[in-house]
Short mmCIF file of all heavy atoms in Angstrom, two decimals:
data_model
loop_
_atom_site.label_atom_id
_atom_site.label_comp_id
_atom_site.label_asym_id
_atom_site.label_seq_id
_atom_site.Cartn_x
_atom_site.Cartn_y
_atom_site.Cartn_z
N LEU X 107 240.66 -38.83 98.90
CA LEU X 107 241.69 -39.25 97.93
C LEU X 107 241.55 -38.44 96.64
O LEU X 107 242.54 -38.03 96.04
CB LEU X 107 241.56 -40.75 97.63
CG LEU X 107 241.85 -41.68 98.82
CD1 LEU X 107 241.57 -43.11 98.46
CD2 LEU X 107 243.29 -41.50 99.28
N PHE X 108 240.28 -38.21 96.25
CA PHE X 108 240.04 -37.42 95.04
C PHE X 108 240.57 -36.00 95.20
O PHE X 108 241.22 -35.46 94.30
CB PHE X 108 238.54 -37.38 94.74
CG PHE X 108 238.15 -36.30 93.77
CD1 PHE X 108 238.50 -36.40 92.44
CD2 PHE X 108 237.46 -35.17 94.21
CE1 PHE X 108 238.15 -35.39 91.53
CE2 PHE X 108 237.12 -34.16 93.31
CZ PHE X 108 237.47 -34.27 91.98
N VAL X 109 240.32 -35.39 96.36
CA VAL X 109 240.77 -34.02 96.58
C VAL X 109 242.30 -33.94 96.49
O VAL X 109 242.86 -33.01 95.89
CB VAL X 109 240.27 -33.49 97.95
CG1 VAL X 109 240.96 -32.20 98.33
CG2 VAL X 109 238.75 -33.28 97.90
N ILE X 110 242.98 -34.96 97.02
CA ILE X 110 244.45 -34.98 96.95
C ILE X 110 244.90 -35.02 95.48
O ILE X 110 245.75 -34.24 95.05
CB ILE X 110 245.01 -36.18 97.75
CG1 ILE X 110 244.73 -35.96 99.24
CG2 ILE X 110 246.50 -36.34 97.50
CD1 ILE X 110 245.03 -37.17 100.10
N TRP X 111 244.30 -35.92 94.71
CA TRP X 111 244.63 -36.03 93.27
C TRP X 111 244.32 -34.71 92.56
O TRP X 111 245.12 -34.21 91.76
CB TRP X 111 243.85 -37.18 92.65
CG TRP X 111 243.94 -37.18 91.13
CD1 TRP X 111 243.12 -36.53 90.27
CD2 TRP X 111 244.94 -37.81 90.33
NE1 TRP X 111 243.52 -36.72 88.98
CE2 TRP X 111 244.64 -37.51 88.97
CE3 TRP X 111 246.05 -38.61 90.62
CZ2 TRP X 111 245.41 -37.98 87.92
CZ3 TRP X 111 246.82 -39.08 89.55
CH2 TRP X 111 246.50 -38.77 88.24
N HIS X 112 243.16 -34.16 92.86
CA HIS X 112 242.67 -32.94 92.22
C HIS X 112 243.64 -31.78 92.49
O HIS X 112 243.94 -30.99 91.57
CB HIS X 112 241.27 -32.64 92.79
CG HIS X 112 240.63 -31.42 92.23
ND1 HIS X 112 240.51 -31.19 90.89
CD2 HIS X 112 240.05 -30.34 92.85
CE1 HIS X 112 239.89 -30.03 90.70
NE2 HIS X 112 239.60 -29.49 91.87
N LEU X 113 244.15 -31.67 93.70
CA LEU X 113 245.10 -30.61 94.03
C LEU X 113 246.41 -30.83 93.28
O LEU X 113 247.00 -29.89 92.73
CB LEU X 113 245.35 -30.56 95.54
CG LEU X 113 244.19 -30.04 96.39
CD1 LEU X 113 244.54 -30.13 97.87
CD2 LEU X 113 243.85 -28.60 96.04
N LEU X 114 246.87 -32.10 93.22
CA LEU X 114 248.11 -32.42 92.51
C LEU X 114 247.94 -32.13 91.02
O LEU X 114 248.88 -31.72 90.34
CB LEU X 114 248.48 -33.89 92.71
CG LEU X 114 248.99 -34.28 94.10
CD1 LEU X 114 249.18 -35.77 94.20
CD2 LEU X 114 250.28 -33.55 94.42
N ASP X 115 246.71 -32.34 90.53
CA ASP X 115 246.43 -32.18 89.11
C ASP X 115 246.35 -30.70 88.72
O ASP X 115 247.18 -30.19 87.96
CB ASP X 115 245.12 -32.92 88.79
CG ASP X 115 244.73 -32.86 87.33
OD1 ASP X 115 245.55 -32.35 86.53
OD2 ASP X 115 243.63 -33.32 86.97
N LEU X 116 245.36 -30.00 89.26
CA LEU X 116 245.04 -28.67 88.74
C LEU X 116 245.57 -27.52 89.59
O LEU X 116 245.61 -26.39 89.13
CB LEU X 116 243.53 -28.54 88.54
CG LEU X 116 242.99 -29.45 87.43
CD1 LEU X 116 241.48 -29.46 87.41
CD2 LEU X 116 243.54 -29.05 86.07
N THR X 117 245.97 -27.78 90.84
CA THR X 117 246.52 -26.69 91.65
C THR X 117 248.04 -26.67 91.54
O THR X 117 248.64 -25.67 91.16
CB THR X 117 246.10 -26.84 93.12
OG1 THR X 117 244.69 -26.92 93.16
CG2 THR X 117 246.58 -25.65 93.93
N PHE X 118 248.68 -27.82 91.83
CA PHE X 118 250.15 -27.86 91.80
C PHE X 118 250.68 -28.32 90.45
O PHE X 118 251.86 -28.19 90.17
CB PHE X 118 250.66 -28.77 92.91
CG PHE X 118 250.20 -28.33 94.28
CD1 PHE X 118 249.29 -29.08 95.01
CD2 PHE X 118 250.64 -27.13 94.81
CE1 PHE X 118 248.85 -28.66 96.25
CE2 PHE X 118 250.20 -26.69 96.05
CZ PHE X 118 249.31 -27.46 96.78
N GLY X 119 249.81 -28.89 89.63
CA GLY X 119 250.23 -29.30 88.28
C GLY X 119 251.14 -30.50 88.25
O GLY X 119 251.70 -30.85 87.20
N ALA X 120 251.32 -31.18 89.37
CA ALA X 120 252.28 -32.28 89.45
C ALA X 120 251.90 -33.44 88.53
O ALA X 120 252.77 -34.07 87.93
CB ALA X 120 252.39 -32.78 90.88
N VAL X 121 250.61 -33.74 88.43
CA VAL X 121 250.21 -34.87 87.58
C VAL X 121 249.46 -34.34 86.35
O VAL X 121 248.73 -35.07 85.71
CB VAL X 121 249.33 -35.88 88.35
CG1 VAL X 121 250.15 -36.57 89.43
CG2 VAL X 121 248.11 -35.21 88.96
N ASN X 122 249.62 -33.04 86.07
CA ASN X 122 248.96 -32.45 84.90
C ASN X 122 249.96 -32.38 83.75
O ASN X 122 251.12 -32.01 83.96
CB ASN X 122 248.48 -31.03 85.26
CG ASN X 122 247.62 -30.42 84.18
OD1 ASN X 122 248.14 -29.93 83.18
ND2 ASN X 122 246.32 -30.46 84.37
N PRO X 123 249.54 -32.71 82.50
CA PRO X 123 250.50 -32.72 81.38
C PRO X 123 251.13 -31.35 81.13
O PRO X 123 252.26 -31.27 80.67
CB PRO X 123 249.65 -33.17 80.20
CG PRO X 123 248.24 -33.28 80.66
CD PRO X 123 248.23 -33.23 82.13
N LYS X 124 250.44 -30.25 81.46
CA LYS X 124 250.99 -28.92 81.20
C LYS X 124 251.84 -28.39 82.35
O LYS X 124 252.57 -27.42 82.18
CB LYS X 124 249.84 -27.93 80.94
CG LYS X 124 249.12 -28.17 79.63
CD LYS X 124 249.82 -27.44 78.50
CE LYS X 124 249.04 -27.65 77.19
NZ LYS X 124 249.67 -26.98 76.06
N GLY X 125 251.69 -28.99 83.53
CA GLY X 125 252.49 -28.55 84.66
C GLY X 125 251.99 -27.25 85.29
O GLY X 125 250.97 -26.70 84.89
N PHE X 126 252.77 -26.74 86.27
CA PHE X 126 252.34 -25.63 87.10
C PHE X 126 252.36 -24.29 86.35
O PHE X 126 251.61 -23.38 86.67
CB PHE X 126 253.26 -25.56 88.33
CG PHE X 126 252.88 -24.49 89.31
CD1 PHE X 126 251.74 -24.61 90.09
CD2 PHE X 126 253.65 -23.33 89.42
CE1 PHE X 126 251.40 -23.61 90.99
CE2 PHE X 126 253.31 -22.33 90.32
CZ PHE X 126 252.17 -22.48 91.10
N ASP X 127 253.24 -24.17 85.33
CA ASP X 127 253.45 -22.87 84.71
C ASP X 127 252.40 -22.48 83.68
O ASP X 127 252.31 -21.32 83.29
CB ASP X 127 254.85 -22.81 84.08
CG ASP X 127 255.92 -22.99 85.14
OD1 ASP X 127 255.68 -22.50 86.28
OD2 ASP X 127 256.96 -23.61 84.86
N ALA X 128 251.60 -23.43 83.22
CA ALA X 128 250.59 -23.13 82.21
C ALA X 128 249.45 -22.31 82.82
O ALA X 128 249.31 -22.24 84.04
CB ALA X 128 250.05 -24.42 81.61
N THR X 129 248.63 -21.68 81.95
CA THR X 129 247.48 -20.94 82.46
C THR X 129 246.45 -21.94 82.97
O THR X 129 246.43 -23.09 82.53
CB THR X 129 246.82 -20.09 81.35
OG1 THR X 129 246.30 -20.98 80.37
CG2 THR X 129 247.81 -19.13 80.73
N PRO X 130 245.59 -21.51 83.90
CA PRO X 130 244.58 -22.43 84.43
C PRO X 130 243.75 -23.07 83.32
O PRO X 130 243.46 -24.26 83.36
CB PRO X 130 243.71 -21.53 85.32
CG PRO X 130 244.60 -20.41 85.72
CD PRO X 130 245.56 -20.21 84.58
N TYR X 131 243.39 -22.28 82.31
CA TYR X 131 242.57 -22.78 81.21
C TYR X 131 243.28 -23.92 80.48
O TYR X 131 242.71 -24.98 80.24
CB TYR X 131 242.25 -21.65 80.24
CG TYR X 131 241.27 -22.02 79.16
CD1 TYR X 131 239.90 -21.92 79.38
CD2 TYR X 131 241.71 -22.48 77.92
CE1 TYR X 131 238.99 -22.26 78.39
CE2 TYR X 131 240.82 -22.83 76.92
CZ TYR X 131 239.46 -22.71 77.16
OH TYR X 131 238.57 -23.06 76.19
N ASP X 132 244.57 -23.69 80.17
CA ASP X 132 245.35 -24.72 79.45
C ASP X 132 245.46 -25.99 80.28
O ASP X 132 245.42 -27.10 79.75
CB ASP X 132 246.75 -24.20 79.12
CG ASP X 132 246.69 -23.20 77.97
OD1 ASP X 132 245.62 -23.13 77.32
OD2 ASP X 132 247.70 -22.50 77.76
N ARG X 133 245.63 -25.81 81.59
CA ARG X 133 245.75 -26.99 82.47
C ARG X 133 244.47 -27.82 82.44
O ARG X 133 244.52 -29.04 82.39
CB ARG X 133 246.06 -26.56 83.90
CG ARG X 133 247.56 -26.54 84.20
CD ARG X 133 247.83 -26.15 85.63
NE ARG X 133 247.91 -24.69 85.77
CZ ARG X 133 247.82 -24.06 86.94
NH1 ARG X 133 247.59 -24.75 88.04
NH2 ARG X 133 247.92 -22.76 87.01
N VAL X 134 243.33 -27.14 82.48
CA VAL X 134 242.05 -27.85 82.46
C VAL X 134 241.88 -28.59 81.14
O VAL X 134 241.57 -29.78 81.10
CB VAL X 134 240.87 -26.87 82.69
CG1 VAL X 134 239.53 -27.57 82.42
CG2 VAL X 134 240.89 -26.33 84.11
N VAL X 135 242.14 -27.88 80.03
CA VAL X 135 241.94 -28.49 78.71
C VAL X 135 242.89 -29.67 78.51
O VAL X 135 242.49 -30.72 77.99
CB VAL X 135 242.12 -27.42 77.61
CG1 VAL X 135 242.13 -28.08 76.22
CG2 VAL X 135 241.01 -26.39 77.69
N ALA X 136 244.15 -29.52 78.96
CA ALA X 136 245.11 -30.62 78.80
C ALA X 136 244.76 -31.77 79.73
O ALA X 136 244.86 -32.95 79.36
CB ALA X 136 246.52 -30.11 79.08
N GLY X 137 244.34 -31.44 80.94
CA GLY X 137 244.08 -32.47 81.95
C GLY X 137 242.94 -33.39 81.57
O GLY X 137 242.98 -34.58 81.85
N PHE X 138 241.92 -32.82 80.90
CA PHE X 138 240.75 -33.63 80.56
C PHE X 138 240.71 -33.94 79.07
O PHE X 138 239.64 -34.21 78.52
CB PHE X 138 239.46 -32.92 80.99
CG PHE X 138 239.38 -32.66 82.47
CD1 PHE X 138 239.34 -31.38 82.97
CD2 PHE X 138 239.36 -33.73 83.35
CE1 PHE X 138 239.28 -31.14 84.34
CE2 PHE X 138 239.30 -33.50 84.72
CZ PHE X 138 239.26 -32.21 85.21
N ALA X 139 241.86 -33.90 78.41
CA ALA X 139 241.92 -34.21 76.97
C ALA X 139 241.31 -35.59 76.71
O ALA X 139 241.39 -36.47 77.57
CB ALA X 139 243.36 -34.16 76.50
N PRO X 140 240.71 -35.77 75.51
CA PRO X 140 240.05 -37.05 75.22
C PRO X 140 240.95 -38.27 75.47
O PRO X 140 240.48 -39.31 75.93
CB PRO X 140 239.70 -36.93 73.74
CG PRO X 140 239.58 -35.46 73.50
CD PRO X 140 240.54 -34.80 74.43
N ALA X 141 242.25 -38.12 75.21
CA ALA X 141 243.16 -39.26 75.40
C ALA X 141 243.27 -39.62 76.88
O ALA X 141 243.60 -40.76 77.24
CB ALA X 141 244.54 -38.92 74.84
N ARG X 142 243.01 -38.64 77.74
CA ARG X 142 243.07 -38.91 79.20
C ARG X 142 241.66 -39.11 79.73
O ARG X 142 241.29 -38.60 80.78
CB ARG X 142 243.75 -37.72 79.89
CG ARG X 142 245.27 -37.74 79.75
CD ARG X 142 245.88 -36.38 80.11
NE ARG X 142 245.53 -35.93 81.45
CZ ARG X 142 246.26 -36.19 82.54
NH1 ARG X 142 247.36 -36.89 82.45
NH2 ARG X 142 245.88 -35.75 83.72
N TRP X 143 240.86 -39.91 79.02
CA TRP X 143 239.46 -40.14 79.41
C TRP X 143 239.35 -40.74 80.80
O TRP X 143 238.37 -40.51 81.51
CB TRP X 143 238.78 -41.08 78.40
CG TRP X 143 239.46 -42.40 78.29
CD1 TRP X 143 240.44 -42.74 77.42
CD2 TRP X 143 239.22 -43.55 79.10
NE1 TRP X 143 240.85 -44.02 77.63
CE2 TRP X 143 240.11 -44.56 78.67
CE3 TRP X 143 238.34 -43.84 80.16
CZ2 TRP X 143 240.16 -45.82 79.25
CZ3 TRP X 143 238.38 -45.10 80.73
CH2 TRP X 143 239.28 -46.07 80.28
N TRP X 144 240.37 -41.48 81.22
CA TRP X 144 240.30 -42.12 82.55
C TRP X 144 240.33 -41.08 83.68
O TRP X 144 239.76 -41.30 84.74
CB TRP X 144 241.42 -43.16 82.71
CG TRP X 144 242.78 -42.64 82.31
CD1 TRP X 144 243.32 -42.64 81.06
CD2 TRP X 144 243.73 -42.00 83.17
NE1 TRP X 144 244.56 -42.05 81.08
CE2 TRP X 144 244.84 -41.66 82.35
CE3 TRP X 144 243.76 -41.70 84.53
CZ2 TRP X 144 245.96 -41.02 82.87
CZ3 TRP X 144 244.88 -41.06 85.05
CH2 TRP X 144 245.97 -40.72 84.22
N VAL X 145 240.99 -39.94 83.41
CA VAL X 145 240.99 -38.86 84.41
C VAL X 145 239.57 -38.33 84.56
O VAL X 145 239.03 -38.18 85.66
CB VAL X 145 241.96 -37.73 84.01
CG1 VAL X 145 241.83 -36.56 84.99
CG2 VAL X 145 243.38 -38.24 83.99
#
Side-chain angles (χ1 to χ4, degrees):
Chain X
L107 294 175
F108 163 71
V109 167
I110 293 170
W111 169 271
H112 180 52
L113 289 176
L114 288 174
D115 181 7
L116 293 171
T117 305
F118 302 112
V121 293
N122 188 281
K124 290 274 182 180
F126 183 72
D127 298 326
T129 65
Y131 187 86
D132 286 347
R133 266 182 273 163
V134 170
V135 171
F138 299 117
R142 282 165 56 91
W143 59 269
W144 49 273
V145 174

